[in-house]
């Protein structure tokens, strides 16, 4: 068995064990063995981190630095991330089962890119002068919020954390980051790299441990001014309730059940390839996964057949192997959830046309699951309504534009959608009618540090990435009136 990686939390710039001395193991989902030993953060640890963040913010040691200086430090963080790319990628792959070729080429570089984007953005955060009635000089200034709790899930641990850390720091906030229990290594490493780059002690704290303990303390604390949360809708609802205590500012990125719509006039070969990528990328553990595939009736059968054949060839393998494109599901819990939904789908009358079972890579170990396609699905079945968060695709037939708009919007979620057609008028019409935060036309799962991203309905609210996140969440505006009447 490879040696366990051991990491400590970062509180007030120092490496800390849990005050109780307790630790837990994060598990490598490809081997089912321990990958890292981490501190089991307690209520007291979370409170200590919050106090450190509060003291650092109140001292203004970070927020009063010139924005350009903060930007330079964040640029250095990006350089350090890239210098440590291999180590970070191995942490991410070891804890989550993402293929190393993806963590090396997508997760880690995109996290660095977020730091670069917000390094540049730091000097572009400003208010405006507004011509009000009367003889007044009237202006707004943009200020940091204060202490922010950043709570993240396990499916893109580094990327989702970077999407929050970089803008929070660019604007002068202090933070307490709570990574998912099963994927904390890259979060802790990022805090170490931020210290090395020059972010002052106490500004960036990371507490590992349980959501119900560490996360809940952050949510309930009156010393925390805002929470940016990415995770499940049910925990998001708990956070809304907890945050009401001191009326915290909230940004919630929650679940999804995104429609991916293929019209008869699409480039069919590309649509088949991309429909598979839309659901199976990162083993379907993607909030925007195109998990409901709507196919126009006249091409439905042939499309489903070709797509199923493609899925059947996409077998998962050892995520540390450079050639692997699909890894194991992240955990036993997730494996059981996917298996359960596959059972439910069959009982509800859907037909499995690919996968539907565990995959053995030869070791007999690991939470590997075959990419799974169901046809004969209708929009009322549980597999079409509930977020599975795994490699399970529901293929649903539709008759025309109006039928598919109605079906696509018939969901509690509104995170993302895909549209495949060569008809430009139809593409834009449908894009306008779909209730989702992001719509991709003839592409899917595209992200960029500059592109605002967030959900509607029970997929949450608040935008991340781009300048919009700075205006919506990481800063507030203050209005100043100056009497000029002589
Ligand atoms: P989760 O909601 O179980 O956990 C997310 C984080 O919240 C973890 O760090 C967890 O420890 C913490 N947490 C749990 N209970 C808490 C509490 N009571 N108070 C405070 N924090 C608490 O989600 P997960 O299983 O880690 O991730 C999967 C979910 O995340 C899916 O529903 C997926 O759709 C969603 N997700 C959404 C987006 C998006 O951008 N919309 C992106 C990725 C994942």
């Amino acid at each position: 068995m490879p040696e366990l990686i051991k990491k400590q939390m970062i509180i007030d710039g120092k490496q800390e064990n849990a005050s109780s001395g307790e630790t837990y193991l994060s598990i490598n989902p490809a081997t089912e063995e321990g990958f890292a030993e981490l501190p089991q953060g307690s209520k007291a640890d979370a409170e200590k981190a919050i106090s450190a963040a509060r003291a650092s913010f109140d001292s203004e040691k970070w927020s009063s630095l010139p924005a350009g200086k903060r930007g330079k430090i964040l640029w250095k963080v990006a350089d350090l991330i890239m210098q440590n790319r291999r180590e970070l990628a191995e942490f991410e792959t070891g804890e989550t089962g993402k293929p190393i070729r993806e963590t090396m080429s997508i997760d880690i570089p995109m996290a660095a890119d977020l730091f670069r984007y917000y390094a540049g953005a730091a000097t572009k955060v400003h208010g405006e002068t507004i011509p009000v009635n009367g003889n007044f000089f009237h202006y707004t200034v943009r200020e940091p919020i204060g202490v922010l709790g950043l709570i993240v899930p396990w499916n893109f641990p580094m990327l989702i954390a970077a999407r929050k850390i970089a803008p929070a720091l660019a604007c002068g906030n202090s933070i307490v980051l709570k990574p998912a229990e099963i994927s904390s290594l890259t979060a802790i490493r990022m805090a170490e790299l931020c210290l090395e780059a020059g972010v002052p002690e106490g500004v960036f704290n990371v507490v590992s441990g349980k959501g119900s303990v560490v996360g809940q303390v952050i949510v309930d604390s009156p010393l925390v001014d805002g929470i940016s949360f990415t995770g499940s809708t049910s925990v998001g609802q708990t956070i809304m309730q907890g945050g009401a205590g001191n009326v915290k500012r909230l940004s919630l990125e929650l679940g999804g059940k995104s429609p991916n719509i293929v019209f008869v006039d699409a480039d069919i070969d590309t649509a088949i390839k991309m429909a598979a990528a839309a659901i199976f990328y990162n083993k379907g553990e993607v909030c925007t996964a195109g998990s409901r595939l709507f196919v126009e009736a006249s091409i439905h059968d042939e499309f489903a057949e070709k797509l199923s054949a493609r899925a059947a060839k996409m077998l998962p393998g050892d995520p540390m192997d450079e050639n692997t494109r699909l890894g194991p599901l992240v955990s036993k819990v997730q494996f059981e959830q996917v298996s359960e939904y596959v059972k439910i789908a069959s009982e509800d009358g859907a037909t499995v046309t690919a996968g539907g079972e565990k995959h053995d890579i030869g070791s007999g170990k690991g939470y590997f699951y075959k990419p799974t396609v169901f046809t004969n699905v209708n929009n009322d079945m549980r597999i079409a309504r509930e977020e599975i968060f795994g490699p399970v695709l529901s293929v649903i037939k539709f008759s025309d534009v109006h039928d598919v708009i109605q079906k696509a919007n018939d969901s509690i979620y509104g995170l993302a959608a895909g549209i495949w057609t060569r008809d430009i008028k139809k593409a834009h019409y449908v894009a306008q009618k779909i209730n989702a935060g992001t719509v991709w036309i003839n592409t899917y799962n595209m992200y960029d540090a500059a592109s605002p991203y967030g959900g509607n309905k029970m997929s949450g609210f608040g935008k991340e990435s781009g300048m919009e996140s700075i205006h919506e969440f990481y800063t507030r505006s203050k209005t100043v009136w100056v009497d000029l009447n002589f």
Side-chain angles (χ1 to χ4, degrees), residues 80-136:
L80 289 172
I81 287 173
M82 290 311 282
Q83 284 163 25
N84 291 276
R85 172 154 69 146
R86 168 62 59 178
E87 178 198 41
L88 289 160
E90 284 178 4
F91 283 177
E92 204 83 329
T93 294
E95 288 196 313
T96 67
K98 286 166 181 289
I100 191 81
R101 66 185 287 154
E102 281 176 13
T103 50
M104 281 292 285
S105 64
I106 300 174
D107 299 67
I108 312 307
M110 277 182 82
D113 209 39
L114 281 154
F115 277 92
R116 294 222 158 92
Y117 178 84
Y118 286 107
T123 49
K124 285 132 201 112
V125 179
H126 52 74
E128 49 188 357
T129 56
I130 301 169
V132 293
N133 285 325
N135 201 8
F136 297 100

Side-chain angles (χ1 to χ4, degrees), residues 93 97-103 105-107 273 276-277 279-284 310 313-328 361 368-369 371 391:
T93 294
K98 286 166 181 289
I100 191 81
R101 66 185 287 154
E102 281 176 13
T103 50
S105 64
I106 300 174
D107 299 67
K273 202 169 106 198
I279 178 66
F280 300 130
Y281 170 59
N282 203 41
K283 340 112 188 199
R310 188 176 181 90
K313 287 193 203 136
M314 295 174 74
L315 291 178
D318 174 5
M320 284 294 182
D321 182 331
E322 302 282 345
N323 296 315
T324 296
R325 286 169 186 271
L326 198 65
I361 62 162
F368 297 93
Y369 205 91

Side-chain angles (χ1 to χ4, degrees), residues 82 85 108 166 179 181 206 231 252-253 296 354 362 394 414 417 429 435 452:
M82 290 311 282
R85 172 154 69 146
I108 312 307
E181 203 178 355
V206 188
L252 302 178
E253 300 293 331
E296 197 157 357
S394 297
Y429 177 78
N435 191 342

Side-chain angles (χ1 to χ4, degrees), residues 401-417:
V401 170
H402 305 291
D403 179 42
V404 78
I405 289 169
Q406 185 277 324
K407 284 181 167 141
N409 285 337
D410 180 16
S411 168
I412 58 168
Y413 297 111
L415 191 55

